[in-house]
Amino acid sequence: MEKLFLCCDLDRTLIPNGDQAESVKARPLFSRIAQQNRLILAYVTGRNKAQIRDAIETYDLPVPDYAVGDVGATIYQPGKNWHTLSEWSTYIQNSWHHSGWEDIKESLNTLTFLLLQEPEHQHRHKLSYYTDPGIDKNSLEEEILRRLSPSGVKSNVIFSLDEEKGVALVDILPQKASKRHAIEFIRLQEKLSTDQVMFAGDSGNDLDALTGGIRAVLVKNASEAVRKEAVNQMASQPNPDHLFFARGDFLGMNGNYSAGVLEGLVHFFPETLDWMS
Ligand SMILES: [Mg+2]
């Protein structure tokens, strides 16, 4: 049987740390299907390595084959003692040429609407700031890219909301470092076709992977704003049916968090329903 590559965001996608309720049987069922030999599992998240390991322990999640951390800046192999995939680091560094974290920070230090996040959120290939949630994100991105362009640095600016803290997060990464590109990198490494891949997410920093052409599911607990943005972006996609919106009422579950992931998995790969009985 063909392999299936399942990629999941963590916070408010697999991890039920939002306002909505989680169906009791969803996570145990997710853990059960993760044991299938046919499945290659990846977590794709804004969390760093320590936070991913903490999430696995706290929420009793299966240990994945791959963990894409720091919104795409790093790829780990948890089964191989959390080995860092150095090929990925080399690949993404290309977009920053010889520039590093410090150079990028220097170029942006007069932008008063950006407040540097704590050191544990920074990474060689990820510069992270807080900003006002009400800010116009398009002009913010334009301004950042304008500041960086003289040095030839090509960056990916990711804007997302931390609803718990009531702040907006701005991550600046090498252009090739994104959740979508990281998934694509692993897919090629595993010699899989795009038809064998599914991604599940809930928020702004998932949009690029949700609407990038691979099969994807937006869990039901996603905000209305993200849902609208996803619908807009899909309108110009050649395969609009590659994004599925979890609705709930699947095996008695509500479609939130991991229940939505399972619902999407069966929507795209109906044969996986057998794994759940
Ligand atoms: Mg999330």
Side-chain angles (χ1 to χ4, degrees):
M1 262 248 197
E2 255 191 352
K3 292 271 185 193
L4 256 180
F5 182 28
L6 175 60
C7 309
C8 295
D9 166 55
L10 287 179
D11 290 272
R12 290 165 292 281
T13 296
L14 269 191
I15 302 180
N17 52 351
D19 292 335
Q20 290 91 333
E22 180 192 39
S23 291
V24 185
K25 70 178 193 181
R27 244 181 312 146
L29 193 53
F30 182 85
S31 291
R32 183 134 60 85
I33 67 126
Q35 291 169 5
Q36 290 283 336
N37 282 334
R38 217 189 124 191
L39 200 78
I40 301 170
L41 180 63
Y43 295 156
V44 187
T45 173
R47 290 183 174 233
N48 62 29
K49 181 166 78 174
Q51 292 169 322
I52 299 170
R53 299 182 77 156
D54 182 61
I56 290 172
E57 193 164 320
T58 308
Y59 294 95
D60 204 11
L61 301 175
V63 176
D65 301 287
Y66 293 92
V68 176
D70 304 292
V71 239
T74 45
I75 301 179
Y76 303 102
Q77 290 176 287
K80 296 182 179 167
N81 206 17
W82 288 84
H83 169 78
T84 304
L85 214 62
S86 58
E87 297 92 331
W88 175 245
S89 308
T90 309
Y91 175 76
I92 61 175
Q93 175 65 43
N94 258 337
S95 333
W96 275 3
H97 303 288
H98 299 296
S99 297
W101 188 90
E102 284 291 338
D103 305 300
I104 311 271
K105 190 175 81 158
E106 188 72 27
S107 309
L108 302 176
N109 67 6
T110 54
L111 296 179
T112 51
F113 49 82
L114 292 179
L115 177 68
L116 201 63
Q117 291 183 25
E118 297 80 358
E120 64 267 29
H121 299 304
Q122 311 298 346
H123 180 274
R124 178 155 77 102
H125 288 130
K126 180 173 83 79
L127 191 58
S128 295
Y129 293 93
Y130 295 115
T131 195
D132 179 347
I135 203 161
D136 180 304
K137 67 173 185 175
N138 293 327
S139 27
L140 168 97
E141 182 179 349
E142 262 170 42
E143 182 59 20
I144 292 172
L145 295 178
R146 198 179 62 77
R147 295 281 180 120
L148 298 178
S149 70
S151 52
V153 158
K154 292 196 169 63
S155 291
N156 179 19
V157 180
I158 300 169
F159 182 91
S160 51
L161 291 174
D162 182 336
E163 284 166 29
E164 253 168 72
K165 289 187 189 157
V167 290
L169 312 175
V170 180
D171 297 310
I172 300 163
L173 298 94
Q175 194 177 46
K176 288 174 179 168
S178 69
K179 287 187 169 187
R180 180 161 68 98
H181 282 119
I183 291 168
E184 187 63 6
F185 192 86
I186 300 170
R187 175 183 80 76
L188 292 170
Q189 173 137 324
E190 292 280 350
K191 301 183 173 59
L192 304 169
S193 80
T194 47
D195 293 342
Q196 293 166 271
V197 186
M198 188 189 102
F199 172 75
D202 76 296
S203 78
N205 70 26
D206 298 317
L207 279 168
D208 135 275
L210 286 168
T211 64
I214 52 171
R215 285 166 181 79
V217 54
L218 186 71
V219 290
K220 195 182 171 199
N221 53 289
S223 73
E224 201 43 45
V226 170
R227 188 182 307 273
K228 272 190 190 150
E229 180 84 36
V231 168
N232 280 344
Q233 292 190 17
M234 284 315 278
S236 56
Q237 282 287 336
N239 295 305
D241 57 346
H242 277 190
L243 179 61
F244 174 73
F245 297 85
R247 297 178 284 243
D249 204 14
F250 168 71
L251 297 180
M253 301 184 293
N254 61 16
N256 294 335
Y257 316 112
S258 52
V261 179
L262 295 169
E263 185 181 333
L265 190 66
V266 171
H267 171 78
F268 289 118
F269 306 98
E271 71 279 15
T272 59
L273 184 60
D274 289 346
W275 300 353
M276 301 179 197
S277 55

